Amino acid sequence: QTPSRFTSTMRSHSSDPIARAVVFLGVMPALALLDLSLAAGLPYPRLKELSRVREVVADYFYGENKFGSSEENLRRYFDWFGVVVRKHT
């Protein structure tokens, strides 16, 4: 079985407990927030986007990365949310 992205990340940072904690503590709350948002009953287009994001993030860190995600393309995707927030604050 192919190791998950999370397992590979944990192995590559095995000597750095802070890096391990950041990966673990960052991904789990993010998935929990996505789950809460999905349960909120948003309009379908937003629900579809959140479902897809959750699927891709979970697959990247815990699955076999069947979508071929990379840290760079995930970072690029989420950076746009920061741009929007800065624009409206």
Side-chain angles (χ1 to χ4, degrees), residues 14 31 38 68 73:
S14 60
L31 292 175
L38 288 168
N73 66 22

Side-chain angles (χ1 to χ4, degrees), residues 23-68:
V23 169
F24 182 74
L25 295 174
V27 175
M28 295 302 288
L31 292 175
L33 285 172
L34 285 167
D35 288 339
L36 287 171
S37 298
L38 288 168
L42 299 170
Y44 180 72
R46 290 184 181 163
L47 185 66
K48 185 176 177 182
E49 178 74 12
L50 289 176
S51 295
R52 178 73 171 151
V53 167
R54 193 209 184 285
E55 183 178 21
V56 169
V57 169
D59 180 58
Y60 178 73
F61 285 100
Y62 300 107
E64 297 176 9
N65 196 19
K66 65 183 176 185
F67 299 109

Side-chain angles (χ1 to χ4, degrees), residues 34 45-46 48-54 56-57 69-84:
L34 285 167
R46 290 184 181 163
K48 185 176 177 182
E49 178 74 12
L50 289 176
S51 295
R52 178 73 171 151
V53 167
R54 193 209 184 285
V56 169
V57 169
S69 301
S70 68
E71 180 181 343
E72 179 184 344
N73 66 22
L74 288 173
R75 190 176 302 272
R76 230 178 312 138
Y77 175 82
F78 286 107
D79 280 349
W80 281 107
F81 293 98
V83 169
V84 171

